[in-house]
Amino acid sequence: MADALELQARSLLSAAAVRARAGEMLEIGLNGGLTHFTIDLDRMDGVAEAVLAVTRKAYPTLEIPFHARWRHFVFGGIDRWARLADAASWPDRAARARAEFDLAIVSVLLDAGAGAAWRYRDAVTGQGIGRSEGLAIASLDMFASGLFSRDATVPFRTDADVLAKLPLAALTAAFQVSNANPLLGLEGRTDLLRRMGKLVAERADVFGSHDTPRPGGLFDHIAAQANGGALPAPAILSAVLNQLGPIWPSRLELAGIPLGDCWRHPAIKTDDATAGLVPLHKLSQWLSYSLIEPLQRAGFNVTDIDGLTGLAEYRNGGLFVDHEVLRLRDAADVERAHAVDSALVVEWRALTVALLDRLAKLVRAKLGRTPDTLPLASILEGGTWAAGRAIAFSRRPDGSPPLKVISDGTVF
């Protein structure tokens, strides 16, 4: 029985489970069976046009990279990480990949919404940068300065023992946080990095095969699974979820296995222990997308990019609410603040994932592209996230999402 339960739990730690349960939520919604949202698919064509408009503006040749943390390291027309990495001396491609895993993992874990007020003053340009872009440049500056390394003369690395003892004051200073420049969820982010440091230090079998334990050791763990140099993208997510899963705080568990970004919703029916459970794995998938390029640079052929799903976060979700594909049954819900585990938020996020798949088909049809020539990762980048932000700013001066979600800095 325990083995069967464990298998059921592990089945939720996959992109396939995210896609299946999100699809189920959409079908229930289309049949009028959801408590909080109705769905108007007739408005999807307008969403596709909005996505195409921002995509063509950002990428006129329609050569669109993947939605990944690396895009946020480009600021003022300069790819900050590429400039640093190209100037560094690496003993081999794997060494650079480990450093890029170190950077991506820490940077993504620090990227959980900044709030509208926070800004990071960039030392290079003197500009104040907000939101995800500011968090990215700040985290890159921390990494390049050696904040996460036990040896300041070897800055481009993240050591598990340094993370495990990371002082809140160090991140407060590095993010330039003050009463006048508040950053949401800073304690939650610090705790997440410490938890990761402790986990990585304890799992030298996974994270320390070529070095002292570091998050970048996950590169070797994933690379070892390659078959003829090929790695399916869902295997990246599986490694992220199974190896880093225990770092997520106070979430659901099944058979003693932490389920990460997975929540309850009464509409989801199954005949096993996973009934009512809706996996979304937003940050883990964002991280998995961000690990594709380091693997490619190290010589691996990453396949089945579309095996990963769209990201259940407020820009993609806001795109469908602001374009009225998703409509609240109770208009007063716009004014309320909703817990991240509330049925309303779980509904919204799952519907977002399923609608992104439908939207991708519409966008490809308009461009005459296929999943191979325009993967979902590129549509997200082109794309849905930017279109969600654009309509948010057109509707609300501060660009805030259409619904208020109470987050602890570890979900979005």
Side-chain angles (χ1 to χ4, degrees), residues 16 82 86 94 96-97 118 128 132 137 173 203 232 235 237 250 285 312 316 324 332 366 375 390 394 409:
D86 291 346
R96 174 168 173 167
W118 178 80
S132 276
I137 297 298
R203 294 296 310 277
L237 177 64
S250 60
Q285 293 209 79
N316 290 323
E324 298 179 28
K366 288 174 182 289
S394 76

Side-chain angles (χ1 to χ4, degrees), residues 46-55 67 131 311 313-324 348 352 356 359 379-403:
V47 181
E49 289 296 337
V51 168
L52 277 174
V54 296
T55 300
H67 191 54
R131 303 187 183 272
L311 302 179
E313 47 81 46
Y314 64 82
R315 288 302 181 207
N316 290 323
L319 178 69
F320 296 114
V321 172
D322 280 335
H323 278 281
E324 298 179 28
W348 182 32
T352 296
L356 285 168
L359 182 61
I379 292 171
L380 295 172
E381 173 59 27
T384 61
W385 192 90
R389 177 185 268 188
I391 193 166
F393 273 99
S394 76
R395 294 285 181 95
R396 293 168 294 280
D398 64 351
S400 59
L403 299 175

Side-chain angles (χ1 to χ4, degrees), residues 257-275:
I257 293 164
L259 299 180
D261 184 5
C262 180
W263 312 89
R264 295 194 183 280
H265 194 286
I268 300 299
K269 313 284 188 197
T270 67
D271 55 5
D272 66 8
T274 70

Side-chain angles (χ1 to χ4, degrees), residues 284-303:
S284 294
Q285 293 209 79
W286 170 230
L287 175 54
S288 299
Y289 279 123
S290 300
L291 298 180
I292 292 172
E293 287 160 71
L295 285 160
Q296 289 175 328
R297 279 191 283 271
F300 293 94
N301 174 26
V302 180
T303 60

Side-chain angles (χ1 to χ4, degrees), residues 149-161:
S149 172
R150 63 160 71 115
D151 182 350
T153 65
V154 186
F156 295 163
R157 60 177 292 128
T158 299
D159 285 297
D161 53 350

